[in-house]
Amino acid sequence: MLRIYIKCVILKPDGCLPNHMNKILVTGATGLLGSSLVPYLKKIGYMVVTHAHKTQADVMFDITNRVKTHEILEQIQPDVIVNLVGLTNVELCEDQVNLAYLANSSTVENLAHWIQSAKKDCHLVQISTDHVYDGMWLHTEDNVNITNNYAFSKYAGEMAALRVNSSILRTNFVGLSQVSYRESLTDWLYKSMIASKQVQVLNDVYFSPLSISALVQMIELVVQKKPIGTYNLGSHIGMSKADFAFAFAECLKLPTNTMTRVQSSEAKFFRAYRPKDMRMDSSKFENVLGIKLPNLTDLIQPLAKEYNEIS
């Protein structure tokens, strides 16, 4: 059932709602990123309506159903939609192409179709992935190189988002999960080290993620500024996933004898191909939004602190 909350607000002199009173619909709000983004947005004063398909949220429906999507969006009348819906399991996307299309492409098509057909001044923030890149060193937004079906389905979602006023954010993130049923890379590393579990870490796969806490702040800035276009959103420099894992362990003061550096071709924990180098040049985002993103090395200590606080 859709729950509608009404509250009195003070209008600005021009009669417009204050920026924080923009109504934001967060789709996929109960997932790994949404579980941190939603409370952050609410804390600083935004009106947030949460969506999920099967878990508890303000509205619960399947966004692959266009009729239902239009019906619910007409009721909500959001000013901004932050779309976090997606299938991120690379193996599952490879094995079930249609499922990947429905989750990563069709959902965006339906959101964009409502914005177009309703002729609403609604801004779409589409969360995409750094998996659309492969090849050595820093990638700018036009260096797309699709190497698996996960990346293809997310890129198709980007194309749908471009039909309307949208900010497409290609990103990757690490950090402490707020939900028991979703695990980040750092969650996996931390739990493995605590349990003295033997793990393989990739020596030839490079990335430039943000922490979840940094990413939610950047998404809020995008909600404010509403920049149009496609943007890389990651940390500076980047490093291999193996180097990141060992640096993370060092900050946590945990033993690393259970971690083994391997090449991706030797990894036993996945079957589908993954890009070798997803490091991004995020200077376009910095220039347009007027901010400075952190180096990846500067994020590791604060990340470790999050985990030390729960131990």
Side-chain angles (χ1 to χ4, degrees), residues 171-185:
T171 192
N172 196 334
F173 56 90
V174 291
L176 184 63
S177 174
Q178 301 301 317
V179 286
S180 59
Y181 50 87
R182 287 297 306 275
E183 194 174 73
S184 72
L185 172 65

Side-chain angles (χ1 to χ4, degrees), residues 249-264:
E250 182 180 346
C251 283
L252 286 166
K253 296 181 171 55
L254 289 174
T256 58
N257 58 302
T258 58
M259 289 198 299
T260 305
R261 292 176 180 266
V262 297
Q263 300 299 99
S264 54

Side-chain angles (χ1 to χ4, degrees), residues 9-27:
V9 299
I10 299 173
L11 295 179
K12 295 189 294 185
D14 60 5
C16 297
L17 287 170
N19 185 66
H20 275 20
M21 297 314 297
N22 283 347
K23 187 187 291 184
I24 305 173
L25 170 63
V26 179
T27 59

Side-chain angles (χ1 to χ4, degrees), residues 174-176 186 190 209-211 213 239 243-254 294-309:
V174 291
L176 184 63
T186 44
Y190 177 77
L210 284 177
S211 64
S213 58
M239 63 180 69
D243 286 345
F244 174 84
F246 276 87
F248 181 57
E250 182 180 346
C251 283
L252 286 166
K253 296 181 171 55
L254 289 174
N295 292 337
L296 180 51
T297 51
D298 296 330
L299 290 174
I300 297 174
Q301 186 67 52
L303 279 170
K305 184 179 178 182
E306 292 180 8
Y307 289 88
N308 279 327
E309 288 174 352

Side-chain angles (χ1 to χ4, degrees), residues 5 15 20 36 44 63-64 66 70 74 102 220 242 245 255:
Y5 301 90
H20 275 20
S36 290
I44 57 179
I63 298 185
T64 65
R66 178 167 291 186
H70 278 234
E74 279 298 314
L102 287 172
E220 191 275 327

